[in-house]
Amino acid sequence: MYRKEKMILASLLATIAVFAVYSLYVYQHYVVPKPEIIHDFSFWGKSFLFLALVMVAAQIIVHIVFAIINKIVTKKDIPVISDEMDKIIELKSLRVSHLIFAGGTFLAIGSQAFGIQQWIMFAKLFSSGFIVTILSDITRISLYRKGL
Amino acid sequence: MNKCHITNEIRKFRFLQSEMTQQELAEKVGVTRQTIVAIENEKYSPTLELAFKIARIFNASLEDVFTYNA
């Protein structure tokens, strides 16, 4: 497994861990004591904003830790160049992300036509965002391994 | 996944260039070693620009290094 694949894998594991811990924290500290909060739009807005901030911070930390470990183990710096193959893989994973997120958004908003509760729409949006991140990373690893 | 129709002789040319390493070739053409590995293993078809750069490093023509097998 090459350095980039390891980096993506580390990022993927961090995403899963952060999302799981964050969801559990929000559920236990906000939803359990006050279940009706799920009908409050500002709760979903705040949850989304904080999750985005936490994810960005987690990714930065993962990159720094990975670079340090890589330097210790291999005595080499992580290459900063992003060549043509990286860019094509990035574009292909972005296409997968867009398709899945568009599908998730369509399902989430479309479910409102059938009178489904609004909090389910937000839950679907959150879920599709999470699935997109996971599948995007899996696509990238898969393309690096199988080739283009 | 599309099958790669472009085969190459990069391994042979590296050997002829005093066993040039993949890392050295990667640095000379400005890509990562992983990309050179992918090209050499025919998992990735390089752009025309990169193909020319590789051929030029080996002082060979494009057809000598790469072959298109449709």
Side-chain angles (χ1 to χ4, degrees):
Chain A
M1 189 176 261
Y2 288 96
R3 197 184 295 122
K4 268 180 195 146
E5 292 163 26
K6 287 179 191 166
M7 181 71 235
I8 299 166
L9 191 63
S11 164
L12 174 65
L13 295 175
T15 302
I16 294 169
V18 168
F19 190 84
V21 170
Y22 183 82
S23 301
L24 200 66
Y25 176 83
V26 170
Y27 181 76
Q28 285 182 337
H29 287 79
Y30 295 94
V31 181
V32 170
K34 197 179 168 191
E36 65 275 13
I37 200 169
I38 59 169
H39 301 294
D40 183 2
F41 282 13
S42 69
F43 161 74
W44 289 99
K46 284 174 191 168
S47 301
F48 176 77
L49 281 179
F50 280 116
L51 177 62
L53 289 174
V54 170
M55 281 291 186
V56 169
Q59 293 301 326
I60 291 169
I61 292 166
V62 165
H63 273 75
I64 292 169
V65 170
F66 186 84
I68 292 168
I69 293 171
N70 183 71
K71 178 78 178 174
I72 293 167
V73 175
T74 65
K75 313 280 182 206
K76 287 178 185 170
D77 291 324
I78 292 177
V80 287
I81 61 164
S82 176
D83 61 27
E84 57 178 52
M85 189 179 165
D86 298 327
K87 284 171 187 161
I88 292 173
I89 288 176
E90 193 66 45
L91 283 172
K92 288 199 172 193
S93 76
L94 204 61
R95 186 176 63 181
V96 170
S97 306
H98 282 174
L99 282 172
I100 295 166
F101 194 69
T105 307
F106 179 79
L107 283 176
I109 296 173
S111 66
Q112 293 303 296
F114 303 101
I116 293 171
Q117 287 186 320
Q118 284 159 341
W119 72 269
I120 294 175
M121 176 181 77
F122 289 110
K124 280 181 186 171
L125 285 173
F126 262 76
S127 307
S128 66
F130 175 65
I131 292 166
V132 159
T133 313
I134 301 296
L135 287 182
S136 169
D137 285 345
I138 290 172
T139 305
R140 285 167 69 198
I141 292 174
S142 160
L143 288 173
Y144 273 119
R145 293 191 76 82
K146 288 183 183 171
L148 291 163
Chain B
M1 197 67 59
N2 291 333
K3 192 179 182 303
C4 186
H5 294 295
I6 296 176
T7 55
N8 66 77
E9 301 287 338
I10 293 177
R11 180 70 193 91
K12 186 185 90 182
F13 276 99
R14 282 200 301 110
F15 173 76
L16 293 174
Q17 296 272 330
S18 312
E19 199 62 68
M20 179 192 283
T21 64
Q22 291 171 329
Q23 185 63 43
E24 284 168 350
L25 178 60
E27 283 168 11
K28 283 181 178 175
V29 295
V31 297
T32 59
R33 185 179 153 253
Q34 190 172 7
T35 299
I36 296 295
V37 173
I39 295 169
E40 217 172 276
N41 294 334
E42 292 163 8
K43 287 182 173 179
Y44 171 63
S45 300
T47 59
L48 202 53
E49 186 184 352
L50 180 56
F52 270 112
K53 279 182 183 174
I54 292 170
R56 190 167 289 180
I57 294 294
F58 296 136
N59 292 316
S61 70
L62 197 62
E63 290 84 0
D64 290 336
V65 185
F66 297 96
T67 310
Y68 180 63
N69 306 304

